[in-house]
Amino acid sequence: MTDELARTTFTELKERTGQIADAELDEFWATLEPASIEFMSGDWKGGEFVTGHRMNGQLEAARWFGKTFDSASDVKPLICLDEHGNRFSNVEMGKGEASLWMEEFRGEVTATMVYDGQPIHDHFKIIGANAVMGFMNGKKVLDNGRYFYFYLERV
């Protein structure tokens, strides 16, 4: 899939007001290129795809802003906003912070954020120069075998 087509599809999915089927997001994921650790560097603003997963709305309720990747061993997975709009790393909610690894997921090796204090792995694939799609995976996040789908846009 070209970057332009990926971005167009992403924008349509992101702006959709109704629920999105997991299968549609899985199909989009399959067209994207795996992310590298280097690609993930920097600050990212996040959002979620509404699929009916039990986690839908929880990050917004916590005032989640996004993620910061300072290096492979220094990742802040839950950058939230305080009551004044200031960003902070919510280490309490995340049970620590995270690191970034190259990990196999669905037969491809891609950049994967691994939480320090809980069994959660976020896998990333590139939508374009400034966006990635993420799958949140792990024992405590699967909802009857379903992943939590989200995205990050570079800020």
Side-chain angles (χ1 to χ4, degrees):
M1 176 177 285
T2 66
D3 281 358
E4 185 177 334
L5 182 55
R7 188 69 193 185
T8 299
T9 302
F10 166 63
T11 300
E12 189 276 323
L13 290 167
K14 182 175 84 165
E15 293 176 355
R16 191 172 303 171
T17 55
Q19 193 165 302
I20 304 170
D22 292 6
E24 186 174 358
L25 292 168
D26 290 343
E27 185 176 303
F28 180 52
W29 172 272
T31 68
L32 303 174
E33 293 297 318
S36 67
I37 289 173
E38 296 77 23
F39 182 84
M40 297 304 300
S41 181
D43 296 320
W44 298 80
K45 182 168 178 35
E48 65 179 18
F49 295 107
V50 178
T51 62
H53 189 283
R54 64 180 165 78
M55 280 200 52
N56 281 143
Q58 289 185 24
L59 291 172
E60 183 179 350
R63 295 191 295 222
W64 179 59
F65 176 83
K67 299 180 184 296
T68 297
F69 300 90
D70 288 325
S71 71
S73 61
D74 184 9
V75 177
K76 294 161 184 64
L78 294 168
I79 299 295
C80 295
L81 301 176
D82 68 16
E83 59 276 354
H84 304 292
N86 300 308
R87 296 180 203 170
F88 70 99
S89 179
N90 193 336
V91 293
E92 182 180 335
M93 183 178 163
K95 297 183 176 130
E97 291 187 330
S99 55
L100 200 55
W101 300 82
M102 294 303 290
E103 194 173 280
E104 185 177 344
F105 178 68
R106 292 189 167 177
E108 297 177 292
V109 176
T110 193
T112 299
M113 189 194 76
V114 179
Y115 281 78
D116 292 340
Q118 49 190 332
I120 297 175
H121 294 219
D122 289 351
H123 310 285
F124 301 106
K125 289 183 85 174
I126 299 170
I127 295 170
N130 296 308
V132 295
M133 182 176 183
F135 269 39
M136 188 179 280
N137 182 14
K139 285 195 249 181
K140 293 191 175 191
V141 76
L142 290 177
D143 184 2
N144 292 316
R146 296 174 61 223
Y147 300 103
F148 177 70
Y149 302 85
F150 67 98
Y151 58 87
L152 300 172
E153 295 179 281
R154 201 179 297 277
V155 291

